[in-house]
């Protein structure tokens, strides 16, 4: 089955009890047993719920994995992966990382005795300098948020395999429409399904997909033991979102390209970060591992002024100034004070997240309207 068919039919079946084409929202915490321990596969909804099972199966299908797990948020999914580790273990992670991931790593898991190395991974050979026998996990985000750096998953996977380290990839930005990390050698794919998979800015959810049965069992155990699961209504919404992922992503990519090119040619713009440009330092890797370049674009205006950045953000009308990304509607954001506020300024600026940086999540509206909106806001600075 090919990708566009998988988003709609992958691992899905009609409801066995009624034939309902869409899975019902099984709003129940518990399930009748005919005799102690004799049941139809469901006992208690923290452990499993049929609507959640449907979305977990969809996650597995679209990421070309065998096992999918759904959580109450992307961070709950990350939390589950980190609980595979023990005190003394070390993690090597991308330095240009989603702020919430950085926060849970440094503010929560460092307290439990896990050590993190945040490094630039554009050159995979550099990773080896940080590998020791304590290294248990490599955590990659690509494209990175918000600088749109591209990391060669295949190359990082070679290092991980050589040293028998687990490789996890946060695939939130790219989505499985653009890249499938499991096919590139990753062991775990993680998503904030809140973003493109849900796609309509109406639900918070996280996902993990793996191929290895032993690893899946460990993750299922943590999911059930720690309990950060999502409810059936949210499962239904994300399942519905996934059914249009491919058509939405196609338009996100088209509009993203048009916005990036418009900004690159604008006299008031200093720099645009988008992996589709030939001049992007990792463009060739992006071309190799991604089907297209996505709908996320970051930029700084000439003069690098925070006042100008704020003026643009306050005056954009269709690009709503808001946290998050990946919905059908265009959003704008100021990483330094919003998504990346939890990263210290000095750390942030090392990776390019300066105070004047603006990040756009380009939606699927008519491109003429989006460009006109950018035009009017830029005319004010
Ligand atoms: C939003 C996001 C997360 C966190 O997911 P939540 O659903 O907000 O908990 C993790 N990684 C990336 C890249 C994100 O954009």
């Amino acid at each position: 089955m090919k990708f566009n068919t998988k988003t709609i039919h992958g691992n899905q079946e009609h409801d066995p009890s009624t034939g309902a084409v869409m899975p019902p929202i099984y709003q129940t915490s518990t399930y009748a047993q005919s005799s102690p321990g004799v049941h139809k596969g469901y006992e208690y909804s923290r452990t499993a719920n049929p609507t959640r099972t449907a979305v977990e199966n969809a996650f597995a299908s679209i990421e070309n994995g065998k096992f999918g797990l759904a959580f109450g948020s992307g961070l709950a999914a990350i939390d589950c992966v980190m609980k595979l580790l023990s005190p003394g273990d070390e993690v090597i992670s991308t330095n240009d990382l989603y702020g919430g991931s950085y926060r849970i790593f440094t503010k929560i898991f460092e307290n439990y005795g896990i050590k993190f190395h945040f490094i630039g991974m554009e050159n995979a050979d550099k990773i080896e300098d940080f590998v020791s026998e304590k290294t248990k996990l490599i955590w990659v985000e690509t494209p990175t948020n918000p600088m749109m750096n591209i990391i060669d998953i295949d190359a990082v996977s070679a290092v991980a395999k050589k040293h028998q380290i687990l490789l996890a990839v946060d695939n939130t930005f790219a989505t499985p429409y653009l890249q499938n990390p499991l096919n590139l050698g990753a062991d775990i794919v993680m998503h904030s399904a809140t973003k493109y998979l849900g796609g309509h800015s109406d639900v918070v959810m996280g996902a993990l997909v793996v191929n290895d049965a032993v690893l899946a069992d460990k993750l299922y155990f943590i999911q059930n033991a720690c309990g950060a699961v999502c409810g059936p209504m949210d499962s239904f919404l994300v399942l519905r979102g996934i059914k249009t992922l491919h058509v939405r992503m196609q338009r996100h990519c088209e509009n993203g390209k048009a916005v990036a090119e418009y900004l690159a040619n604008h006299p008031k713009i200093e720099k645009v970060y988008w992996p589709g440009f030939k001049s992007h330092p990792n463009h060739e890797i992006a071309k190799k591992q991604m089907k297209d370049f996505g709908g996320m674009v970051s930029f700084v205006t000439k003069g690098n002024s925070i006042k100008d950045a704020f003026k643009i953000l306050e005056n954009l009308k269709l690009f709503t100034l808001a946290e998050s990304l990946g919905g059908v509607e265009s959003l704008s954001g100021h990483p330094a004070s919003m998504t990346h506020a939890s990263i210290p300024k000095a750390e942030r600026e090392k990776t390019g997240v300066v105070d004047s940086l603006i990040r756009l999540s380009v939606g699927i509206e008519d491109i003429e309207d989006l460009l006109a909106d950018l035009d009017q806001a830029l005319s004010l600075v």
Side-chain angles (χ1 to χ4, degrees):
M1 202 184 279
K2 294 178 76 175
F3 186 78
N4 298 351
T5 312
K6 279 187 180 177
T7 62
I8 298 166
H9 298 288
N11 291 347
Q12 298 300 307
E13 48 189 46
H14 305 317
D15 181 53
S17 55
T18 62
V21 168
M22 289 305 297
I25 299 163
Y26 280 95
Q27 197 71 49
T28 186
S29 61
T30 189
Y31 306 81
Q33 307 194 5
S34 56
S35 176
V38 181
H39 52 74
K40 296 179 175 166
Y42 292 92
E43 294 165 273
Y44 184 62
S45 282
R46 170 164 32 75
T47 313
N49 171 287
T51 323
R52 197 175 92 215
T53 303
V55 79
E56 290 180 326
N57 289 342
F59 288 147
S61 172
I62 58 178
E63 277 293 10
N64 300 334
K66 291 203 183 91
F67 308 96
L69 298 91
F71 296 85
S73 70
L75 277 163
I78 296 174
D79 180 70
C80 181
V81 174
M82 290 300 142
K83 285 172 176 161
L84 293 167
L85 306 178
S86 306
D89 288 349
E90 296 192 4
V91 179
I92 303 174
S93 169
T94 327
N95 58 0
D96 171 20
L97 190 67
Y98 174 70
S101 306
Y102 182 82
R103 182 176 55 200
I104 194 173
F105 291 171
T106 58
K107 295 285 198 287
I108 305 292
F109 285 100
E110 274 187 2
N111 289 341
Y112 289 84
I114 293 163
K115 187 168 171 194
F116 293 86
H117 302 274
F118 297 98
I119 67 168
M121 290 189 183
E122 289 73 46
N123 177 359
D125 293 342
K126 244 179 76 183
I127 299 171
E128 297 222 68
D129 298 346
F130 296 86
V131 171
S132 75
E133 69 280 11
K134 293 180 182 159
T135 313
K136 295 290 155 61
L137 177 71
I138 299 177
W139 186 272
V140 167
E141 204 180 297
T142 179
T144 65
N145 175 14
M147 300 312 296
M148 312 298 156
N149 291 318
I150 302 292
I151 294 162
D152 188 337
I153 299 173
D154 198 35
V156 176
S157 147
V159 176
K161 290 209 160 50
K162 180 172 161 199
H163 298 279
Q164 293 179 309
I165 303 167
L166 279 179
L167 171 61
V169 176
D170 181 340
N171 204 28
T172 302
F173 263 42
T175 83
Y177 174 82
L178 295 178
Q179 83 191 0
N180 294 111
L182 294 180
N183 294 84
L184 299 167
D187 301 289
I188 303 173
V189 183
M190 174 261 153
H191 279 278
S192 169
T194 313
K195 317 293 169 50
Y196 287 106
L197 299 190
H200 296 74
S201 306
D202 52 8
V203 60
V204 172
M205 192 187 288
L208 298 177
V209 181
V210 302
N211 262 322
D212 181 75
V214 175
L215 180 58
D217 276 349
K218 287 184 188 166
L219 294 168
Y220 283 126
F221 181 84
I222 297 168
Q223 181 193 39
N224 182 49
C226 297
V229 295
C230 52
M233 178 72 198
D234 289 352
S235 301
F236 174 86
L237 286 171
V238 170
L239 192 61
R240 182 162 77 165
I242 288 173
K243 288 178 194 283
T244 56
L245 177 66
H246 52 295
V247 282
R248 285 185 287 108
M249 283 310 293
Q250 190 180 348
R251 181 64 64 84
H252 281 298
C253 291
E254 284 166 23
N255 283 358
K257 177 174 197 279
V259 164
E261 285 172 351
Y262 164 84
L263 290 170
N265 290 316
H266 196 287
K268 288 180 183 165
I269 302 294
E270 174 75 32
K271 188 153 175 54
V272 183
Y273 299 92
W274 178 68
F277 290 130
K278 281 205 179 65
S279 58
H280 185 288
N282 320 114
H283 176 71
E284 287 307 316
I285 297 163
K287 249 177 42 188
K288 185 181 76 169
Q289 73 186 13
M290 297 167 74
K291 180 164 146 190
D292 203 337
F293 304 108
M296 298 301 298
V297 180
S298 298
F299 67 97
V300 285
T301 47
K302 283 206 171 117
N304 213 11
S305 134
I306 188 168
K307 258 176 62 191
D308 285 351
F310 272 51
K311 191 148 204 186
I312 292 165
L313 289 165
E314 286 161 5
N315 285 285
L316 282 168
K317 295 192 168 62
L318 285 176
F319 286 86
T320 304
L321 176 59
E323 299 274 3
S324 202
L325 62 106
V328 289
E329 65 290 303
S330 292
L331 297 179
S332 61
H334 184 245
S337 67
M338 295 167 73
T339 45
H340 289 63
S342 48
I343 302 177
K345 187 175 159 80
E347 271 315 298
R348 236 197 290 125
E349 296 203 332
K350 264 192 235 163
T351 59
V353 186
V354 293
D355 284 346
S356 56
L357 186 79
I358 291 176
R359 189 192 78 181
L360 300 177
S361 170
V362 182
I364 63 171
E365 300 93 337
D366 273 312
I367 188 63
E368 293 80 2
D369 292 328
L370 296 180
L371 297 183
D373 192 28
L374 287 166
D375 215 45
Q376 63 80 20
L378 283 166
S379 73
L380 304 173
V381 300

